PDB file of all heavy atoms in Angstrom:
ATOM      1  N   ARG Y  20      13.084  13.689 -18.439  1.00  0.00           N
ATOM      2  CA  ARG Y  20      12.023  12.640 -18.288  1.00  0.00           C
ATOM      3  C   ARG Y  20      12.732  11.289 -18.019  1.00  0.00           C
ATOM      4  O   ARG Y  20      13.816  11.071 -18.515  1.00  0.00           O
ATOM      5  CB  ARG Y  20      11.149  12.562 -19.491  1.00  0.00           C
ATOM      6  CG  ARG Y  20      10.217  13.714 -19.613  1.00  0.00           C
ATOM      7  CD  ARG Y  20       9.145  13.350 -20.618  1.00  0.00           C
ATOM      8  NE  ARG Y  20       9.643  13.051 -21.961  1.00  0.00           N
ATOM      9  CZ  ARG Y  20       8.888  13.165 -23.056  1.00  0.00           C
ATOM     10  NH1 ARG Y  20       7.639  13.407 -22.916  1.00  0.00           N
ATOM     11  NH2 ARG Y  20       9.462  12.808 -24.144  1.00  0.00           N
ATOM     12  N   ARG Y  25       8.684   4.850 -20.706  1.00  0.00           N
ATOM     13  CA  ARG Y  25       7.936   4.167 -21.636  1.00  0.00           C
ATOM     14  C   ARG Y  25       7.720   2.647 -21.452  1.00  0.00           C
ATOM     15  O   ARG Y  25       6.745   2.079 -21.516  1.00  0.00           O
ATOM     16  CB  ARG Y  25       8.714   4.291 -23.095  1.00  0.00           C
ATOM     17  CG  ARG Y  25       7.996   3.807 -24.237  1.00  0.00           C
ATOM     18  CD  ARG Y  25       8.714   3.829 -25.507  1.00  0.00           C
ATOM     19  NE  ARG Y  25       7.981   3.104 -26.526  1.00  0.00           N
ATOM     20  CZ  ARG Y  25       7.099   3.709 -27.283  1.00  0.00           C
ATOM     21  NH1 ARG Y  25       6.918   4.975 -27.181  1.00  0.00           N
ATOM     22  NH2 ARG Y  25       6.391   2.990 -28.178  1.00  0.00           N
ATOM     23  N   LYS Y  27       7.681   1.353 -18.542  1.00  0.00           N
ATOM     24  CA  LYS Y  27       6.826   1.125 -17.481  1.00  0.00           C
ATOM     25  C   LYS Y  27       5.437   1.259 -17.849  1.00  0.00           C
ATOM     26  O   LYS Y  27       4.506   0.624 -17.390  1.00  0.00           O
ATOM     27  CB  LYS Y  27       7.334   1.962 -16.251  1.00  0.00           C
ATOM     28  CG  LYS Y  27       8.584   1.538 -15.659  1.00  0.00           C
ATOM     29  CD  LYS Y  27       9.036   2.389 -14.544  1.00  0.00           C
ATOM     30  CE  LYS Y  27      10.291   1.558 -13.889  1.00  0.00           C
ATOM     31  NZ  LYS Y  27      11.102   2.456 -12.888  1.00  0.00           N
ATOM     32  N   ASP Y  37       8.106 -11.687 -13.583  1.00  0.00           N
ATOM     33  CA  ASP Y  37       7.713 -11.630 -14.964  1.00  0.00           C
ATOM     34  C   ASP Y  37       8.507 -12.574 -15.845  1.00  0.00           C
ATOM     35  O   ASP Y  37       8.300 -12.575 -17.013  1.00  0.00           O
ATOM     36  CB  ASP Y  37       7.814 -10.128 -15.458  1.00  0.00           C
ATOM     37  CG  ASP Y  37       6.847  -9.251 -14.599  1.00  0.00           C
ATOM     38  OD1 ASP Y  37       5.940  -9.730 -14.110  1.00  0.00           O
ATOM     39  OD2 ASP Y  37       7.078  -8.122 -14.743  1.00  0.00           O
ATOM     40  N   ARG Y 129      -2.477 -25.723  -4.159  1.00  0.00           N
ATOM     41  CA  ARG Y 129      -3.409 -26.688  -3.588  1.00  0.00           C
ATOM     42  C   ARG Y 129      -2.600 -27.687  -2.749  1.00  0.00           C
ATOM     43  O   ARG Y 129      -3.015 -28.121  -1.682  1.00  0.00           O
ATOM     44  CB  ARG Y 129      -4.149 -27.390  -4.691  1.00  0.00           C
ATOM     45  CG  ARG Y 129      -5.318 -26.668  -5.190  1.00  0.00           C
ATOM     46  CD  ARG Y 129      -5.812 -27.039  -6.513  1.00  0.00           C
ATOM     47  NE  ARG Y 129      -6.470 -25.929  -7.153  1.00  0.00           N
ATOM     48  CZ  ARG Y 129      -7.773 -25.730  -6.948  1.00  0.00           C
ATOM     49  NH1 ARG Y 129      -8.521 -26.492  -6.269  1.00  0.00           N
ATOM     50  NH2 ARG Y 129      -8.240 -24.538  -7.505  1.00  0.00           N
ATOM     51  N   ARG Y 605      12.653  16.761 -11.064  1.00  0.00           N
ATOM     52  CA  ARG Y 605      11.250  15.977 -11.166  1.00  0.00           C
ATOM     53  C   ARG Y 605      11.428  14.744 -10.418  1.00  0.00           C
ATOM     54  O   ARG Y 605      10.402  14.350  -9.769  1.00  0.00           O
ATOM     55  CB  ARG Y 605      10.999  15.704 -12.729  1.00  0.00           C
ATOM     56  CG  ARG Y 605      10.721  16.913 -13.411  1.00  0.00           C
ATOM     57  CD  ARG Y 605      10.616  16.519 -14.934  1.00  0.00           C
ATOM     58  NE  ARG Y 605       9.181  16.102 -15.282  1.00  0.00           N
ATOM     59  CZ  ARG Y 605       8.646  16.237 -16.355  1.00  0.00           C
ATOM     60  NH1 ARG Y 605       9.391  16.644 -17.459  1.00  0.00           N
ATOM     61  NH2 ARG Y 605       7.486  15.854 -16.700  1.00  0.00           N
ATOM     62  N   GLU Y 625      -0.306   2.907   9.457  1.00  0.00           N
ATOM     63  CA  GLU Y 625       0.460   1.669   9.226  1.00  0.00           C
ATOM     64  C   GLU Y 625       0.796   1.060  10.630  1.00  0.00           C
ATOM     65  O   GLU Y 625       1.448   1.693  11.464  1.00  0.00           O
ATOM     66  CB  GLU Y 625       1.630   1.962   8.437  1.00  0.00           C
ATOM     67  CG  GLU Y 625       1.262   2.287   7.005  1.00  0.00           C
ATOM     68  CD  GLU Y 625       2.476   2.482   6.001  1.00  0.00           C
ATOM     69  OE1 GLU Y 625       3.316   1.617   6.188  1.00  0.00           O
ATOM     70  OE2 GLU Y 625       2.507   3.399   5.362  1.00  0.00           O
ATOM     71  N   MET Y 646      -2.627   1.618   3.879  1.00  0.00           N
ATOM     72  CA  MET Y 646      -1.665   2.678   3.447  1.00  0.00           C
ATOM     73  C   MET Y 646      -2.492   3.836   2.854  1.00  0.00           C
ATOM     74  O   MET Y 646      -3.538   3.582   2.436  1.00  0.00           O
ATOM     75  CB  MET Y 646      -0.699   1.978   2.389  1.00  0.00           C
ATOM     76  CG  MET Y 646       0.108   0.964   2.996  1.00  0.00           C
ATOM     77  SD  MET Y 646       1.263   0.177   1.850  1.00  0.00           S
ATOM     78  CE  MET Y 646       0.328  -0.845   0.957  1.00  0.00           C
TER      79      MET Y 646
ATOM     80  N   LYS A  48       0.033  -6.790 -13.426  1.00  0.00           N
ATOM     81  CA  LYS A  48       0.800  -7.229 -12.178  1.00  0.00           C
ATOM     82  C   LYS A  48      -0.037  -7.783 -11.073  1.00  0.00           C
ATOM     83  O   LYS A  48      -1.323  -7.236 -10.886  1.00  0.00           O
ATOM     84  CB  LYS A  48       1.669  -6.104 -11.686  1.00  0.00           C
ATOM     85  CG  LYS A  48       2.625  -5.359 -12.788  1.00  0.00           C
ATOM     86  CD  LYS A  48       3.580  -6.358 -13.269  1.00  0.00           C
ATOM     87  CE  LYS A  48       4.487  -5.541 -14.171  1.00  0.00           C
ATOM     88  NZ  LYS A  48       5.225  -6.466 -15.088  1.00  0.00           N
ATOM     89  N   GLY A 101       3.549   1.393 -31.945  1.00  0.00           N
ATOM     90  CA  GLY A 101       4.747   1.986 -31.328  1.00  0.00           C
ATOM     91  C   GLY A 101       4.357   3.373 -30.719  1.00  0.00           C
ATOM     92  O   GLY A 101       5.149   4.045 -30.007  1.00  0.00           O
ATOM     93  N   ASP A 112       5.124  11.899 -19.464  1.00  0.00           N
ATOM     94  CA  ASP A 112       5.458  13.301 -19.377  1.00  0.00           C
ATOM     95  C   ASP A 112       5.383  13.804 -17.930  1.00  0.00           C
ATOM     96  O   ASP A 112       6.216  14.670 -17.663  1.00  0.00           O
ATOM     97  CB  ASP A 112       4.369  14.038 -20.291  1.00  0.00           C
ATOM     98  CG  ASP A 112       4.715  13.733 -21.721  1.00  0.00           C
ATOM     99  OD1 ASP A 112       5.704  13.175 -22.158  1.00  0.00           O
ATOM    100  OD2 ASP A 112       3.677  14.140 -22.513  1.00  0.00           O
ATOM    101  N   GLN A 117       7.258   5.729 -10.559  1.00  0.00           N
ATOM    102  CA  GLN A 117       8.591   5.594 -10.013  1.00  0.00           C
ATOM    103  C   GLN A 117       9.045   4.132 -10.093  1.00  0.00           C
ATOM    104  O   GLN A 117       9.668   3.766 -11.298  1.00  0.00           O
ATOM    105  CB  GLN A 117       8.561   6.034  -8.460  1.00  0.00           C
ATOM    106  CG  GLN A 117       8.694   7.469  -8.361  1.00  0.00           C
ATOM    107  CD  GLN A 117       9.076   7.871  -6.984  1.00  0.00           C
ATOM    108  OE1 GLN A 117      10.088   7.173  -6.341  1.00  0.00           O
ATOM    109  NE2 GLN A 117       8.559   8.971  -6.497  1.00  0.00           N
ATOM    110  N   CYS A 118       8.732   3.235  -9.213  1.00  0.00           N
ATOM    111  CA  CYS A 118       9.193   1.872  -9.459  1.00  0.00           C
ATOM    112  C   CYS A 118       8.459   1.255 -10.540  1.00  0.00           C
ATOM    113  O   CYS A 118       9.024   0.293 -11.249  1.00  0.00           O
ATOM    114  CB  CYS A 118       9.015   1.095  -8.097  1.00  0.00           C
ATOM    115  SG  CYS A 118       7.277   0.464  -7.911  1.00  0.00           S
ATOM    116  N   ARG A 155       3.016   3.386  -3.851  1.00  0.00           N
ATOM    117  CA  ARG A 155       3.722   3.604  -2.557  1.00  0.00           C
ATOM    118  C   ARG A 155       5.004   4.566  -2.801  1.00  0.00           C
ATOM    119  O   ARG A 155       5.742   4.884  -1.950  1.00  0.00           O
ATOM    120  CB  ARG A 155       4.279   2.183  -2.098  1.00  0.00           C
ATOM    121  CG  ARG A 155       4.814   2.127  -0.854  1.00  0.00           C
ATOM    122  CD  ARG A 155       3.876   2.095   0.346  1.00  0.00           C
ATOM    123  NE  ARG A 155       4.449   1.317   1.537  1.00  0.00           N
ATOM    124  CZ  ARG A 155       4.071   1.569   2.752  1.00  0.00           C
ATOM    125  NH1 ARG A 155       3.219   2.669   2.959  1.00  0.00           N
ATOM    126  NH2 ARG A 155       4.588   0.867   3.781  1.00  0.00           N
ATOM    127  N   GLU A 247     -12.109 -24.438  -2.586  1.00  0.00           N
ATOM    128  CA  GLU A 247     -12.454 -25.088  -3.798  1.00  0.00           C
ATOM    129  C   GLU A 247     -13.958 -24.731  -4.105  1.00  0.00           C
ATOM    130  O   GLU A 247     -14.807 -25.019  -3.214  1.00  0.00           O
ATOM    131  CB  GLU A 247     -12.299 -26.546  -3.665  1.00  0.00           C
ATOM    132  CG  GLU A 247     -10.843 -27.011  -3.410  1.00  0.00           C
ATOM    133  CD  GLU A 247     -10.026 -27.255  -4.587  1.00  0.00           C
ATOM    134  OE1 GLU A 247     -10.547 -27.132  -5.758  1.00  0.00           O
ATOM    135  OE2 GLU A 247      -8.903 -27.552  -4.498  1.00  0.00           O
ATOM    136  N   ARG A 387      -9.312   5.021   6.800  1.00  0.00           N
ATOM    137  CA  ARG A 387      -8.897   5.534   5.505  1.00  0.00           C
ATOM    138  C   ARG A 387     -10.222   6.053   4.799  1.00  0.00           C
ATOM    139  O   ARG A 387     -11.284   5.381   4.875  1.00  0.00           O
ATOM    140  CB  ARG A 387      -8.172   4.509   4.708  1.00  0.00           C
ATOM    141  CG  ARG A 387      -7.561   5.132   3.485  1.00  0.00           C
ATOM    142  CD  ARG A 387      -6.518   4.107   2.826  1.00  0.00           C
ATOM    143  NE  ARG A 387      -7.188   2.991   2.272  1.00  0.00           N
ATOM    144  CZ  ARG A 387      -6.558   1.917   1.948  1.00  0.00           C
ATOM    145  NH1 ARG A 387      -5.266   1.815   2.034  1.00  0.00           N
ATOM    146  NH2 ARG A 387      -7.151   0.906   1.534  1.00  0.00           N
TER     147      ARG A 387
END
Side-chain angles (χ1 to χ4, degrees):
Chain Y
R20 286 198 302 199
R25 186 187 174 89
K27 286 176 172 171
D37 297 340
R129 275 159 210 274
R605 292 173 88 156
E625 295 185 39
M646 298 183 277
Chain A
K48 308 300 184 195
D112 291 346
Q117 275 200 41
C118 82
R155 188 79 152 149
E247 299 272 357
R387 187 168 66 191

